[in-house]
Amino acid sequence: MKDRIYVCHTYYHVYVTFLKELNLPKEKRGQATLLLSSLSNNFENLKERVESTGLFEQVLPFDEKRDTEYPDLAKLRQPRNNVLLHLLQRIIFTRKYGNYVAKTVPVNFKEYKEVYVYCDSDPIGYYLNTHRIYYHALEDGLNCIKNFDAARYDNRGHFKLKAFMSERLNLIFIQNGYGKYCLDMEVNDVKAIKYPYRKYKEVPRQPLVEALDQDDKNLILKAFIRNREELEKQIYDTGAIGDKILILTEPLCTLDVREQIFRDLVTTYEKEGTVFLKPHPRDELDYKTVFADVPQFDATVPMEMLNFFPNLRFKKVVSVLTETKAIQFADEVVKLGIDFMDKYEDPKIHRQNEQI
């Protein structure tokens, strides 16, 4: 049996995986497999950079596909007025989708002692439960269930019945720990989650960071920074006038509205000093073109990497919905929140927890 495997969908997932592996005893490192799913992210040459660290036994691409790639599943996605017919349709969808995903997985998951999956809401969750493979789920982003309880929101109406059919009977599938073959789900802060669940297992991420030594941090930087010299030049030789303000972009709303949001934020905060943008890795707005006059960091570099550069300080870091508790390189952190978003789009779009 092989030791463990991680399924990652974002750069942040890979970062957290590094934290977990680097917190193991040194003799246990280098024994894990890392799968990089192309479902929602272009990892470019991250595979080669991760391989160069020697921290993983294998780093493999995973051509995970959404259900929209399979035309015959479309009719099974259509809502039905009759709850029993709807559930029957969902049972069929779950099995068919899980079997389709099986054709894309590049490894035999049953060969691993431990399977770790970020975003089991993605196709991999259907596969693991359909094929009865036990796994550990991990919170997608920092405190993401606190901000958006996707399992309950996506299954509004008869949630207890649906949860029973998923967790106990394995007839349908619900993400975030409610799958029958999900052993537990690691979350950053159990107390912050409105609806507790027995499978939630608190594994705070900050202590994992604090346990790193400088060699560990350099290893992470080696994997994530494509051009460290260029990034350090951005950090230390910016020609910034006055205080430095960092604005974190996010894949919010439509592209035109998103552009307006960040134009407004740049206009607001440039009165306080030099504004920098840190584009989100999954943000498809072309900031280098649209905001050509605003200094920017590489979108593929997780925000948390900036904690590892000595003497880097911002007066303020501003986010809309992104959790900012991991930031240690700013004198002040501003999270604008959903009230701010109300000015730009229908509140129902981003106030999901209030609709549960």
Side-chain angles (χ1 to χ4, degrees), residues 204-267:
R205 290 177 180 173
Q206 187 56 34
L208 299 179
V209 178
E210 293 170 356
L212 301 177
D213 60 25
Q214 192 55 50
D215 287 341
D216 296 332
K217 293 177 182 178
N218 287 334
L219 195 74
I220 293 176
L221 291 175
K222 182 179 181 180
F224 284 91
I225 308 303
R226 289 187 288 193
N227 188 329
R228 185 167 178 174
E229 184 177 319
E230 181 180 327
L231 181 59
E232 288 180 334
K233 189 176 189 303
Q234 285 180 289
I235 290 172
Y236 299 120
D237 185 24
T238 60
I241 300 173
D243 295 308
K244 293 191 290 187
I245 313 294
L246 180 64
I247 297 175
L248 306 175
T249 85
E250 301 172 50
L252 305 164
C253 48
T254 58
L255 289 178
D256 58 332
V257 176
R258 191 182 312 170
E259 179 181 341
Q260 187 60 54
I261 287 173
F262 290 104
R263 283 203 181 281
D264 291 348
L265 290 178
V266 168
T267 299

Side-chain angles (χ1 to χ4, degrees), residues 27-45:
E27 62 271 17
K28 290 190 176 182
R29 300 179 188 177
Q31 300 173 27
T33 297
L34 180 67
L35 287 194
L36 299 176
S37 169
S38 58
L39 187 72
S40 57
N41 230 85
N42 178 5
F43 285 109
E44 300 178 351
N45 66 343

Side-chain angles (χ1 to χ4, degrees), residues 8 42 59 67 102 157 173 178 181 196 201 206 210 212 223 258 279 288 316 323 325 349:
C8 296
N42 178 5
V59 183
D67 62 279
F173 173 66
Y178 290 95
Y181 291 90
K201 175 183 176 184
Q206 187 56 34
E210 293 170 356
L212 301 177
R258 191 182 312 170
K288 289 184 179 180
K316 190 176 293 183
E323 282 291 325
K325 290 185 178 180
I349 297 174

